[in-house]
Amino acid sequence: MNIINNIKDVALIFEGGGMRASYTAGFANNLLENEIYFDYVAGISAGASLSVNYLSRDITRTKRSFVDLVRDEKFGGWRSFLKGEGFFRSHYIYEETPNVDASLPFDWQTFSANPAQIRIGAYKRDEGEMVYFTKNDMQSMQELMKIVRSSSSLPIFMPPTYYQGDYYIDGGVSGGIALDIAQKDGFKKFFVVLSQEKGYRKSPVKSKNFIKAYYRKYPHACEAMLKRHNAYNKTLEELEELERQGKAFLVYPDRMPVSNRELKFERLSESYDAGYRQGKRDLHKWKEFLQIE
């Protein structure tokens, strides 16, 4: 399988945001439909799912992951949360649905044949360390999906993911936008797909005492969560400055219509359609920044 990527000097970065990715999946599918293939992609949390679906070039799965899957009775909700399985049933979503005979089969052959670099960020709960996994860590679909699950294990609402001797929680606790690793890997230009509206800034957590009590045995994770808004907002400010310099293109939703825990199919479907329409409308701006026709 000969897969060619045509964007070599710009890093594609997908922000997370839970079910807000229903909207940004519409952006991702505009990239795929117009054969805009980046040779480097980085993502955290829901952005990790978007990243692997994008590199597998699977338009159907990109949408279904954040729209149709909620119709699966095994997907999650408060009942599964109270059972200790998580508001989103991560084992099922990431480790069962990708199988060939399951509800959301993953195109491992195309993903593994794609020469693009990928970085997926997850946070080591006990050590307080942000880890970015690479293609070398993804030698099988099972490893890949365990890594995506690690990156997406929303604190409190989902159990941590145990992988290769460590417990991981959502990489978003350290900020949530993988600009740092793309810069470390040498990139100077960035195409960033965000899941919050332009001008958004994250506020400090309101339930500090609850966070401190919940993570009393894990001081690093507790500190990261309490300071997350600072890291996130600092990254946004840096991105905005890069955009002013012509070194970044920031793709914002016009209006984000769903929350990160939305479970209603109709609302998620409308969210995807809005993101897809916006992407189609703004495609000429994307191509101008990327210098392609």
Side-chain angles (χ1 to χ4, degrees):
M1 185 180 294
N2 186 27
I3 296 179
I4 298 174
N5 297 312
N6 54 359
I7 308 296
K8 302 283 189 176
D9 61 343
V10 183
L12 171 61
I13 300 173
F14 284 111
E15 183 183 5
M19 303 310 289
R20 292 197 299 269
S22 56
Y23 198 106
T24 50
F27 295 151
N29 274 348
N30 268 282
L31 294 173
L32 291 173
E33 288 180 4
N34 289 279
E35 299 182 350
I36 301 175
Y37 300 136
F38 288 79
D39 203 44
Y40 180 102
V41 58
I44 293 172
S45 194
S49 291
L50 286 171
S51 296
V52 300
N53 289 337
Y54 170 81
L55 289 186
S56 70
R57 297 191 177 177
D58 192 333
I59 291 171
T60 300
R61 193 178 199 273
T62 296
K63 177 182 178 181
R64 293 187 64 215
S65 293
F66 294 100
V67 179
D68 302 74
L69 192 58
V70 296
R71 286 181 154 177
D72 188 327
E73 60 182 14
K74 298 179 182 178
F75 181 74
W78 288 114
R79 183 176 298 178
S80 62
F81 175 78
L82 293 173
K83 288 182 179 180
E85 299 172 346
F87 186 82
F88 301 110
R89 296 184 67 240
S90 51
H91 182 273
Y92 175 73
I93 292 168
Y94 298 104
E95 299 186 55
E96 295 185 35
T97 65
N99 294 323
V100 66
D101 56 347
S103 59
L104 203 63
F106 181 76
D107 187 347
W108 168 254
Q109 183 178 8
T110 299
F111 174 86
S112 57
N114 194 323
Q117 298 183 66
I118 183 171
R119 302 289 184 265
I120 292 178
Y123 189 85
K124 283 187 179 181
R125 181 194 65 183
D126 299 0
E127 290 85 350
E129 178 186 356
M130 187 68 179
V131 176
Y132 281 101
F133 294 94
T134 73
K135 202 84 174 278
N136 291 333
D137 300 306
M138 306 165 189
Q139 298 300 309
S140 67
M141 187 177 75
Q142 289 70 31
E143 286 181 330
L144 171 65
M145 290 303 170
K146 198 79 171 185
I147 289 167
V148 175
R149 177 184 173 185
S150 297
S151 179
S152 308
S153 295
L154 192 65
I156 302 171
F157 287 94
M158 297 165 73
T161 298
Y162 185 74
Y163 182 58
Q164 295 187 343
D166 290 291
Y167 285 95
Y168 289 91
I169 57 177
D170 195 305
V173 301
S174 70
I177 305 172
L179 175 64
D180 57 339
I181 189 62
Q183 291 174 321
K184 185 178 180 181
D185 287 335
F187 283 86
K188 305 296 183 184
K189 294 186 71 177
F190 313 93
F191 188 91
V192 187
V193 177
L194 299 162
S195 62
Q196 296 282 12
E197 299 167 17
K198 187 172 184 177
Y200 171 82
R201 289 294 187 271
K202 192 173 293 295
S203 301
V205 294
K206 297 179 180 178
S207 49
K208 290 182 180 180
N209 290 336
F210 174 76
I211 297 295
K212 290 176 180 179
Y214 191 90
Y215 281 109
R216 62 189 181 280
K217 295 181 180 178
Y218 313 107
H220 297 299
C222 179
E223 183 179 11
M225 291 185 66
L226 294 177
K227 293 182 177 180
R228 181 192 176 193
H229 64 288
N230 292 326
Y232 180 87
N233 294 338
K234 182 179 179 181
T235 301
L236 275 183
E237 290 166 6
E238 184 174 359
L239 284 170
E240 290 168 355
E241 177 58 31
L242 287 167
E243 185 177 48
R244 284 190 287 270
Q245 297 172 10
K247 297 177 181 178
F249 192 100
L250 309 183
V251 184
Y252 299 97
D254 285 341
R255 184 185 68 84
M256 177 50 64
V258 296
S259 74
N260 63 340
R261 297 193 297 277
E262 179 62 61
L263 293 180
K264 293 182 180 178
F265 170 79
E266 292 77 13
R267 295 195 66 186
L268 292 168
S269 183
E270 291 171 1
S271 175
Y272 172 84
D273 290 343
Y276 182 82
R277 287 194 304 269
Q278 183 185 333
K280 195 170 184 179
R281 181 198 73 197
D282 293 342
L283 182 64
H284 67 287
K285 298 179 184 177
W286 301 1
K287 288 184 174 182
E288 182 179 356
F289 175 78
L290 298 170
Q291 298 182 324
I292 56 176
E293 295 182 0

